[in-house]
Amino acid sequence: MDDGTEMDRKEVAEPLGLSPSRFSEFLEKKALLQDWGEYEDFFRFSSNVGKIDEGSVLVKKGDVFEFVQGFPKIKRAIMLAPAIKSHFADIDAVAVEEKMNGYNVRVIEHNGKLIAFTRSGRVCPYSSERADHLLEHELFKDHPEYVVYGEMVGPDNPYVPKHIYGVDSLEFFAFDIRSKEGIPLPVHERRDLAADYGLTQVELLGEFEVSEAAEGIRDIILELGKKEREGVIIKDPAMVLQPLKYTTSETNCADLRHGFRYYNESGKDYLFARVVREGFQSVEWNESEEDLEKRCLMLGKSILMPMRESIMHVQEGERLWEDVQIRVREVSTIDKFRMYLERLGLDAIFGSPELIGDEYVVKIRKMNKSTTDKTLGIIEGQLWS
Ligand code: ATP
Ligand code: MG
């Protein structure tokens, strides 16, 4: 911990409305945590503190701290038509963007380098290296007041690897530009700015009158589903009202397949919520007997098949794991990322780097100890208590 921060604490405390003593108290209580290694300039809020969201970050800049707001939770529509009608009652139209399935990062420039924070406010060394290389720095130079939010998508992805987007390695898709205090730019202003600076961005799939949105979105969702895509985010074009999210049945089932493969690592709420979504979608869309049968089959298979595979795998004396990979320019990023995962408490085995072109691909085996041990126990006669 940096000890020369008494003065600095005062500097940060005033604009945030935190007294210096409260600031120290948060540090002591670990509500505010300092990052490590080369990222000691960053402090993240590990819980909500007044108006400051968990995951928000303080960036030490010489004698002062700069505040970077976290990314707010996006609420979900479970029944599309009534949710849109009530949530967007005060506006005429909504913008619908694709919800891409990867992981959320927030990018800023610090000392000439781009830094990517994950949702929790940690600096991810892999994402930072990728962001620094993937994003135009121009926007950050011209607009140091902005934070660019986006989804990291593609197969070279240690958290949510997906092959469905035609991305070869890993791409950053911008979906928000906000001030450091968290005030978002309106949808069109943000899209124009991102386009001007050559940022790759999520697709704008349509704009609808609020009264017609549910029907339009249903058609979009059915099409996205055929491509195994995740869903949509429904936004107030002015970005004053909070966005809503809605997902395809295919993605709900894909989540269940993954969740039940590693059933003891997955939260029960996570799994249960995905089943409930299927129930409401099937009623709202008033589907035919035939479509309902298909949904039942898909839902059941998504739950049972991967679980069976896991159990049989363990029965054969194997352990359970998930293979992911990263692709880096700097060899040093590999060690930084290994340490980062270790600090998160993840059990991961790194393969040796393989030089492909001018980058290194590293395979990472993430061990699912909890599901392996639970399954082994049950096979050996343990009871479910
Ligand atoms: P939360 O519900 O708290 O936002 P979560 O990780 O459970 O977090 P998701 O269900 O994945 O959330 O949905 C929200 C996430 O969707 C955002 O955090 C963001 O990373 C991602 N996302 C993808 N595309 C978009 C988009 N076009 N606009 C906004 N967010 C998007
Ligand atoms: Mg997501």
Side-chain angles (χ1 to χ4, degrees), residues 99-104 151 160 230:
K99 178 183 199 302
M100 299 189 81
N101 200 359
Y103 63 96
N104 178 306
E151 198 79 354
V160 190
E230 187 180 20

Side-chain angles (χ1 to χ4, degrees), residues 269-299:
D269 290 349
Y270 175 90
L271 300 171
F272 180 67
R274 278 150 183 81
V275 177
V276 170
R277 289 177 204 168
E278 287 300 290
F280 279 91
Q281 193 175 78
S282 109
V283 170
E284 181 170 20
W285 291 358
N286 193 24
E287 56 200 357
S288 66
E289 268 311 304
E290 193 191 335
D291 284 347
L292 181 59
E293 285 291 334
K294 270 196 223 156
R295 189 190 290 274
C296 292
L297 190 62
M298 184 64 80
L299 181 59

Side-chain angles (χ1 to χ4, degrees), residues 13-45:
E14 316 303 353
L16 283 175
L18 292 177
S19 69
S21 62
R22 289 278 278 168
F23 183 74
S24 312
E25 195 187 312
F26 290 138
L27 276 175
E28 274 146 34
K29 281 191 178 160
K30 302 201 185 310
L32 191 58
L33 299 170
Q34 188 174 19
D35 221 311
W36 58 284
E38 68 188 277
Y39 306 125
E40 283 189 345
D41 284 348
F42 306 101
F43 295 73
R44 70 175 189 279
F45 286 90

Side-chain angles (χ1 to χ4, degrees), residues 35-88:
D35 221 311
W36 58 284
E38 68 188 277
Y39 306 125
E40 283 189 345
D41 284 348
F42 306 101
F43 295 73
R44 70 175 189 279
F45 286 90
S46 60
S47 54
N48 293 334
V49 173
K51 283 194 184 123
I52 303 169
D53 291 339
E54 179 184 341
S56 297
V57 174
L58 293 176
V59 182
K60 189 170 183 297
K61 291 191 152 183
D63 288 344
V64 291
F65 281 92
E66 185 173 65
F67 177 68
V68 178
Q69 183 67 270
F71 186 77
K73 180 161 186 59
I74 298 180
K75 292 201 176 129
R76 174 178 296 274
I78 299 286
M79 238 186 197
L80 211 38
I84 291 174
K85 195 167 158 232
S86 101
H87 186 76
F88 295 111

